Amino acid sequence: MIDEIKIRFQELIEERKWKTAKQELHNLEPFQIAEVIEELSKSDQIILFRLLPRELAKEAFKHLSHDEQEDIIEGLATNVNKVTGLLNDLDPDDRTAFFEELPGEVSQRLIQLLSAEEREIATRLLGYPEDSIGRLMTPEYVAVKPYFTIQQTLEYIRRFGHDSETLNVIYIVDDEWKLIDDIRIKEVILASPEQMVSEVSDNRFVALNAYDDQEVAIKVFQDNDRVALPVVSSDGTLLGIVTFDDMMDIAEEESTEDFLKFGGTEGLDLSYTKTGLFEMIKKRSGWLVLLFIGEMFTASAMGYFDMEISKAVVLALFIPLIISSGGNSGSQAASLIIRSLALGELTVRNWWYVMRKEILSGLVLGIILGGIGFIRIYVWQYTGLYDYGLYWAWVAISVAVSLILIVLWGTLSGSMIPMLLKKMGFDPATASAPFVATMVDVTGLVIYFTVAALFLSGKLL
């Protein structure tokens, strides 16, 4: 369906049927218009966006990616009135999210296009710390006094509710605008018209502080199943609200940042297509250099055991198998623990529970892999695929025991490092898969050759 719509509008633009295109845009939902715009060339995007009426332009703009939003603003630069109207019409939280992704000088230039009232709101919101709830809140909500009757409340909503971000929740404040409670619109509708608002209120509400971290808000939304939450100052004054759709966007950004960190790179400030080559190299080089230095210790470890390798070359055959198994088990454990910490399923206090569980898991997984390694050497020896020599059984035992210990060490490292970082106040996602794998590589070699020296001493060594 959406593909047909895209083709239709491309044809209308090519045929320059502006009146028809404008009429058909009225029949589409804002998210459909956004999908159509994202598929067009930059010049056609601007043409189509100019055809949108004011309210529809505002709603469609909210559904565009930041890159597309920036392209639209740049394309409308020659039409200052259109840009000014669009920025003034945007909801304050959506506008703030757009501004904070732009270079500082660009944001300042666009802020000057706002009306005095909207400029004050934008400046106030941008004045909060970058990752705080204050950046996300909108001052567009409906608040009533506890002494209002339900009839007065409904009349107030009809009069002032048009610009509210959501009408699902109505807020109750005192004469000093201190938050008393919030009530769902369902409770208002079902109450008797003569009842006072205070009579349907239970004075039990959940609120966020404007300086709370955005990750805190995500957790509060998840725990309380709300469509919106009030934002208050330190003294309880109602400043604004944050809606669930804003939290979804932040959750996606946080997940993307953690994903990139876990992959061994810094989070990108802009999208991949908007990030310059030099900036991309800068974001990726730090971890690569660090990991390369780490892998140099692997070479040093092998050099330390060069005498053992020269006496028993067969040991070198299993180095890739040994270190990859340790790295893989460590990456697995790190992935599980980091995700559990992010979801709040685990805290640092659970470290002993995690350690016990990972010791058992590591032992069982190590025994499984060690058993497979032993069988592999046995089969190859007896089928003639490879001759491991007179002491093949001791080589197989060395490999099997090494795998058990290395997989155990990998699971312990992968699970404990994120918790240690969390305890120290760092982001657990910094314990990236490459970092854990590199660390286990180095220590895995030491374990392998130590075990080999123990079992093969007086035989091959």
Side-chain angles (χ1 to χ4, degrees):
M1 180 65 178
I2 192 66
D3 290 333
E4 295 175 4
I5 296 174
K6 293 172 185 174
I7 294 172
R8 170 64 175 162
F9 278 98
Q10 284 176 332
E11 292 174 350
L12 291 174
I13 291 173
E14 289 172 3
E15 296 170 7
R16 307 177 71 81
K17 295 182 178 180
W18 313 127
K19 187 175 181 180
T20 304
K22 190 171 184 176
Q23 291 173 342
E24 294 192 12
L25 282 170
H26 279 275
N27 299 325
L28 299 179
E29 295 293 330
F31 77 89
Q32 293 177 314
I33 296 173
E35 289 183 355
V36 171
I37 289 176
E38 288 177 342
E39 291 297 317
L40 298 175
S41 64
K42 286 190 178 182
S43 58
D44 289 345
Q45 285 179 343
I46 306 306
I47 291 172
L48 197 65
F49 201 84
R50 285 174 183 270
L51 297 176
L52 293 172
R54 188 165 178 168
E55 185 62 27
L56 200 52
K58 162 194 165 182
E59 294 300 321
F61 189 82
K62 289 164 56 175
H63 289 280
L64 294 170
S65 67
H66 181 269
D67 292 343
E68 299 295 342
Q69 289 177 341
E70 196 172 345
D71 289 339
I72 292 294
I73 294 296
E74 288 177 1
L76 295 174
T78 55
N79 189 338
V80 178
N81 290 334
K82 185 77 173 180
V83 175
T84 302
L86 176 61
L87 293 176
N88 278 296
D89 288 342
L90 283 175
D91 294 329
D93 55 336
D94 294 321
R95 184 172 57 217
T96 303
F98 173 61
F99 281 164
E100 68 181 0
E101 294 291 334
L102 296 172
E105 63 274 12
V106 177
S107 294
Q108 290 301 319
R109 188 168 70 247
L110 293 178
I111 287 174
Q112 298 310 310
L113 298 177
L114 299 174
S115 65
E117 181 183 356
E118 295 297 330
R119 189 185 308 130
E120 180 184 351
I121 294 172
T123 304
R124 185 170 73 249
L125 295 183
L126 287 169
Y128 286 102
E130 185 174 351
D131 294 321
S132 68
I133 294 301
R135 287 286 188 101
L136 297 179
M137 69 180 180
T138 175
E140 296 177 349
Y141 56 88
V142 173
V144 297
K145 301 299 174 60
Y147 49 79
F148 280 21
T149 65
I150 294 299
Q151 183 64 40
Q152 288 176 316
T153 299
L154 290 172
E155 290 174 0
Y156 188 87
I157 293 171
R158 293 189 191 99
R159 184 177 178 185
F160 297 105
H162 297 284
D163 296 327
S164 177
E165 180 83 0
T166 177
L167 288 176
N168 291 328
V169 184
I170 309 300
Y171 300 93
I172 306 172
V173 295
D174 63 18
D175 291 333
E176 296 180 352
W177 217 256
K178 300 287 180 64
L179 180 64
I180 298 174
D181 199 6
D182 57 9
I183 52 175
R184 298 180 186 271
I185 191 65
K186 176 183 176 181
E187 298 171 39
V188 177
I189 294 172
L190 296 179
S192 172
E194 295 79 23
Q195 278 186 286
M196 303 277 283
V197 168
S198 58
E199 294 179 50
V200 296
S201 168
D202 59 8
N203 295 320
R204 294 167 58 192
F205 64 90
V206 179
L208 298 166
N209 188 283
Y211 288 92
D212 282 345
D213 191 271
Q214 292 171 1
E215 288 190 21
V216 173
I218 295 172
K219 185 68 168 60
V220 175
F221 266 92
Q222 290 172 339
D223 291 344
N224 294 278
D225 192 25
R226 298 293 187 97
V227 295
L229 283 173
V231 181
V232 298
S233 64
S234 300
D235 63 357
T237 301
L238 180 60
L239 301 174
I241 64 171
V242 176
T243 55
F244 180 74
D245 60 328
D246 295 322
M247 287 299 98
M248 290 290 288
D249 294 337
I250 295 300
E252 182 180 354
E253 290 176 11
E254 294 291 341
S255 297
T256 300
E257 184 180 351
D258 287 347
F259 181 82
L260 291 173
K261 283 183 179 178
F262 195 70
T265 185
E266 295 181 41
L268 301 179
D269 298 324
L270 301 175
S271 69
Y272 183 88
T273 55
K274 289 283 185 177
T275 303
L277 178 61
F278 178 76
E279 183 67 15
M280 183 72 73
I281 293 171
K282 180 181 175 183
K283 292 288 185 182
R284 296 166 67 175
S285 61
W287 267 109
L288 281 177
V289 170
L290 184 63
L291 294 172
F292 179 76
I293 293 172
E295 290 293 354
M296 289 172 63
F297 287 103
T298 305
S300 299
M302 289 187 66
Y304 182 80
F305 293 103
D306 61 348
M307 186 68 69
E308 285 80 359
I309 295 175
S310 64
K311 291 180 180 178
V313 179
V314 69
L315 294 176
L317 299 175
F318 299 99
I319 290 176
L321 179 146
I322 293 289
I323 61 177
S324 65
S325 297
N328 291 339
S329 63
S331 299
Q332 272 189 346
S335 301
L336 291 170
I337 300 304
I338 289 172
R339 188 57 181 163
S340 295
L341 287 171
L343 295 174
E345 297 172 350
L346 291 174
T347 65
V348 177
R349 296 183 203 174
N350 302 125
W351 70 272
W352 178 237
Y353 165 79
V354 172
M355 178 176 281
R356 283 180 298 162
K357 195 167 188 176
E358 290 303 316
I359 287 175
L360 291 174
S361 298
L363 279 173
V364 174
L365 292 171
I367 290 170
I368 292 172
L369 296 184
I372 294 172
F374 186 93
I375 293 171
R376 191 265 191 197
I377 295 174
Y378 174 83
V379 171
W380 259 245
Q381 181 70 27
Y382 273 85
T383 57
L385 291 174
Y386 191 88
D387 183 10
Y388 292 102
L390 180 63
Y391 299 104
W392 69 267
W394 289 103
V395 172
I397 292 172
S398 299
V399 170
V401 173
S402 296
L403 281 169
I404 293 171
L405 295 176
I406 290 169
V407 170
L408 174 61
W409 170 242
T411 56
L412 277 176
S413 301
S415 58
M416 289 295 106
I417 290 176
M419 302 200 83
L420 180 61
L421 290 172
K422 181 80 172 177
K423 177 68 175 177
M424 296 170 64
F426 296 109
D427 187 348
T430 309
S432 65
F435 174 76
V436 172
T438 300
M439 190 195 76
V440 176
D441 283 354
V442 179
T443 52
L445 281 174
V446 176
I447 292 172
Y448 176 46
F449 284 109
T450 301
V451 170
L454 179 65
F455 285 102
L456 297 177
S457 180
K459 301 175 182 68
L460 290 177
L461 301 178

